[in-house]
Amino acid sequence: MPIRSYRGPIASLLSASLMFGIICGCGSSNDMSSDTGSYGDRADAPSSAAYSVSPAEHSDSIPAGTSAPPASVSHTAPPAAGEVYSSSTTDHDPTEVVGSDVSRAEAVSRVEDAHREKEFVPRSGHQSGLLTAGSFDDVANYHEYVQLLQSNRHHLSYCQLPIKAEMRQTIIRITDGQGRPISDAQCLVTGAGNNQDLMLNLRTGSDGRTTLLTQTGYNSDQEQPLRLRVIPAGAEAAVIDEIRLPENQWDIVLQDGRSTLPTQLDLALVIDTTGSMGDELDYLKAEIDSIAASVHRMFPNVDQRFSLITYRDQGDEYVCRAFDFTGSLSEFRRNLDAQSAGGGGDFPEAMDVALHSAAKLTWRTSNTARVMFLVGDAPPHRDGTASAVTAIDDLRQKGVRVFPVGASGVEKSAEVLMRTASVLTMGQYLFLTDHSGVGNAHATPSVSSFAVEKLDRMMIRMIASELAGKRLIPQEVIAIERGESYSWTPPMSCPQTACQTYRAPIVCYSPPVVSGPSVLKQLVQWIRHNTLATAIALMTFAMVVENRQRRRGIQNRSSNLCQD
């Protein structure tokens, strides 16, 4: 068959494919640009705490999480050793770029650090946004945490946890006259009778909350009145001094109180780098690197510092490496990139040593969101468990919100200790899932149900929630999964009348299951974001069809010749 007899249709299909790719590419560009928004200023927030965040959106009526992290910075070759960065690398005056409210020397330092950050290239080579994870709030679902303790008593024989299954949790929430949270308010709780021992001395977080755990449980006959005193930040005397009975929540309103959002962020990453983490460490490094860079860009008006702690076990190359807080993002990223997995041997690791190192970091006090992510898959040794609990309590006293991240194959005793840390510090328990296909099989936590989302967006959402002073819900849920099934039974000391109040409906911050987009809509979205692959597929299909038609034509002609 002459070439020109089948070149025409292919050329037409090629042209159509290219035109289709151009059209879809334009549509994709528009869609992607529309995804980026502004975090917006909270209507009740002071101007000094306004956040400029992209691409997350914030609403007082429906709090929004980070729908998608900002695009990665385009990196170039790393700088040569000893190279000095000059502010002349930018066409703008440094004070114009950073802001006129800082000195020129500080502005130059920030611009130089930004150039270092842009030119840093991680060695791992893994793409961020691959790992998936679930989250569970044991503070909001305290009865499920109680069930965890009850069903794992054999794991708790040596843990010496400060929380027992029969203990009552009371959330103390301090707000102003308009219902906005008041942070850094000191809450003092003592007995109101003959026993006036100090039971609580903590400050509220950015959401205006702290938690009280009492031994009296839920037996109304055993509950004793308690004395609560509240001292706002900067005040010398208590503005609230009253007697209360233990309840699930105490709502305290300070009519003249002042609600402010944090203007500082201390973010610490504590990571298990033993051999058992080797299947996911490089991916976790890529995720954490992207998260730190994203947070740095999303909250330009927040003074940010980063810290890194890595730990292994006794007898390894090192037990614990601690890098104290630094305002240089590039320094943090380089320290993270230099870490590798190795050592370990037996299953327990030196988590207790790492937690004590975290408690010794130079955490800032007032007007600061203090966030720590604890990434690991194994508990501390038996003789180090009590020490780990002590370190967790030290972090609690400093107002640090701990968000443990359970990696692949996390052991049940490690899950219990991690979730205890999140309960005591009012964080949340995060855990990797199998949806990403990365790493070994992941253990299913002992929870009723949980939402699955991208790990980087989840961690950014946790940080943004602490800065916003309110819980932000996930926007892109991959799946709703069920955890290990069980039926909750009340503690032995809990009478049925009290338990009816205690067993309230589960308060989950995960969104309800909603019907997703149609298959056709998903296909169109995929085509728009994969225009090159779509064009190649169409061209290949066209060539295959034309090739089959040509063969059929040759066969028909041959048969006609044979008949003749």
Side-chain angles (χ1 to χ4, degrees):
M1 172 181 275
I3 295 179
R4 63 173 177 268
S5 65
Y6 64 89
R7 185 179 60 182
I10 290 182
S12 301
L13 284 172
L14 289 177
S15 302
S17 301
L18 292 176
M19 182 63 67
F20 178 77
I22 293 172
I23 295 174
C24 290
C26 296
S28 174
S29 176
N30 293 336
D31 287 350
M32 292 299 288
S33 63
S34 65
D35 285 342
T36 59
S38 173
Y39 193 89
D41 297 349
R42 235 181 74 176
D44 59 342
S47 58
S48 61
Y51 304 135
S52 174
V53 180
S54 176
E57 296 181 355
H58 183 77
S59 169
D60 284 330
S61 58
I62 304 177
T66 43
S67 58
S72 301
V73 178
S74 177
H75 301 295
T76 57
E83 180 178 351
V84 178
Y85 290 84
S86 171
S87 60
S88 60
T89 55
T90 177
D91 296 332
H92 304 279
D93 182 74
T95 56
E96 295 179 357
V97 177
V98 178
S100 58
D101 57 337
V102 299
S103 64
R104 182 177 181 82
E106 183 179 357
V108 170
S109 176
R110 293 187 186 182
V111 171
E112 291 175 351
D113 185 69
H115 283 291
R116 292 189 184 96
E117 187 270 326
K118 287 182 180 180
E119 301 205 6
F120 173 72
V121 181
R123 295 183 304 172
S124 65
H126 291 292
Q127 179 184 356
S128 62
L130 296 179
L131 296 182
T132 57
S135 63
F136 194 78
D137 189 345
D138 282 302
V139 177
N141 302 282
Y142 183 69
H143 59 283
E144 295 209 25
Y145 173 76
V146 170
Q147 169 63 26
L148 175 72
L149 299 183
Q150 289 182 331
S151 59
N152 291 276
R153 293 185 184 276
H154 58 288
H155 289 293
L156 307 179
S157 58
Y158 65 91
C159 283
Q160 304 180 33
L161 295 180
I163 306 180
K164 308 301 180 183
E166 64 275 7
M167 295 182 70
R168 174 192 281 275
Q169 175 189 250
T170 299
I171 302 297
I172 304 175
R173 184 170 180 264
I174 313 295
T175 59
D176 64 5
Q178 299 181 12
R180 298 173 299 188
I182 296 180
S183 61
D184 291 327
Q186 185 179 9
C187 298
L188 300 169
V189 178
T190 61
N194 296 329
N195 183 9
Q196 297 188 4
D197 294 339
L198 182 64
M199 304 173 62
L200 179 73
N201 184 6
L202 294 176
R203 292 187 177 273
T204 56
S206 61
D207 57 359
R209 302 190 307 161
T210 188
T211 181
L212 168 68
L213 297 166
T214 53
Q215 290 281 1
T216 54
Y218 295 86
N219 192 332
S220 58
D221 296 334
Q222 298 178 1
E223 290 180 342
Q224 301 296 325
L226 302 175
R227 180 185 179 187
L228 170 66
R229 288 175 291 167
V230 178
I231 305 175
E236 297 181 356
V239 297
I240 296 292
D241 190 345
E242 57 189 30
I243 306 299
R244 286 174 171 259
L245 287 174
E247 297 176 315
N248 291 344
Q249 180 162 315
W250 290 345
D251 289 311
I252 310 298
V253 178
L254 305 182
Q255 295 294 342
D256 298 329
R258 181 187 177 190
S259 175
T260 59
L261 293 178
T263 58
Q264 301 178 136
L265 170 65
D266 283 351
L267 176 60
L269 281 303
V270 182
I271 308 174
D272 179 353
T273 57
T274 56
S276 62
M277 294 287 293
D279 60 322
E280 291 175 327
L281 181 60
D282 285 341
Y283 292 94
L284 285 166
K285 287 165 55 179
E287 301 285 357
I288 293 172
D289 178 84
S290 174
I291 290 166
S294 298
V295 171
H296 192 264
R297 291 192 300 271
M298 291 166 63
F299 301 96
N301 296 331
V302 176
D303 182 15
Q304 305 171 33
R305 299 193 308 168
F306 305 90
S307 173
L308 174 67
I309 296 176
T310 59
Y311 67 95
R312 291 184 179 176
D313 201 3
Q314 302 292 339
D316 291 340
E317 178 185 357
Y318 66 89
V319 177
C320 182
R321 287 176 177 169
F323 303 89
D324 205 352
F325 287 108
T326 175
S328 172
L329 175 61
S330 59
E331 179 182 349
F332 169 81
R333 298 179 70 187
R334 293 179 192 277
N335 291 335
L336 174 66
D337 188 57
Q339 308 308 313
S340 60
D346 57 349
F347 188 71
E349 313 297 357
M351 179 188 289
D352 55 314
V353 179
L355 288 172
H356 277 286
S357 297
K360 294 178 182 178
L361 294 175
T362 56
W363 298 94
R364 289 178 288 193
T365 53
S366 62
N367 207 22
T368 303
R370 295 167 288 273
V371 179
M372 187 185 98
F373 291 99
L374 171 63
V375 185
D377 62 352
H381 291 271
R382 285 178 177 262
D383 56 358
T385 304
S387 177
V389 172
T390 301
I392 293 171
D393 187 64
D394 291 341
L395 291 167
R396 183 192 187 201
Q397 297 297 326
K398 294 177 180 291
V400 180
R401 296 282 171 93
V402 178
F403 296 86
V405 182
S408 61
V410 60
E411 203 262 344
K412 187 58 65 175
S413 60
E415 178 188 341
V416 172
L417 183 61
M418 286 180 165
R419 290 175 65 175
T420 299
S422 66
V423 169
L424 288 174
T425 62
M426 301 196 73
Q428 290 191 48
Y429 178 57
L430 317 182
F431 43 91
L432 300 183
T433 66
D434 292 332
H435 298 76
S436 64
V438 176
N440 300 325
H442 299 86
T444 302
S446 298
V447 299
S448 56
S449 62
F450 57 90
V452 179
E453 55 185 309
K454 296 291 187 180
L455 175 65
D456 56 348
R457 298 178 183 180
M458 177 181 292
M459 295 176 68
I460 292 175
R461 179 167 59 84
M462 300 300 165
I463 298 170
S465 295
E466 295 301 314
L467 290 171
K470 61 197 303 183
R471 187 62 52 86
L472 306 180
I473 62 176
Q475 294 297 291
E476 295 186 8
V477 176
I478 298 173
I480 302 292
E481 301 288 355
R482 294 194 63 85
E484 292 183 353
S485 60
Y486 58 81
S487 58
W488 183 80
T489 55
M492 296 299 295
S493 60
C494 175
Q496 188 64 25
T497 54
C499 294
Q500 289 175 354
T501 302
Y502 177 54
R503 296 182 62 181
I506 297 176
V507 181
C508 292
Y509 289 98
S510 300
V513 181
V514 296
S515 58
S518 63
V519 176
L520 179 60
K521 185 175 181 180
Q522 292 181 5
L523 178 61
V524 172
Q525 291 177 352
W526 186 91
I527 291 175
R528 285 189 172 185
H529 294 288
N530 298 272
T531 54
L532 179 60
T534 303
I536 293 175
L538 288 174
M539 290 188 291
T540 304
F541 176 75
M543 295 180 68
V544 170
V545 171
E546 290 295 332
N547 188 37
R548 288 184 177 180
Q549 292 179 351
R550 184 180 60 157
R551 289 184 178 180
R552 289 179 180 177
I554 294 175
Q555 291 176 355
N556 293 335
R557 182 173 300 179
S558 299
S559 61
N560 292 334
L561 291 175
C562 292
Q563 291 176 0
D564 294 339

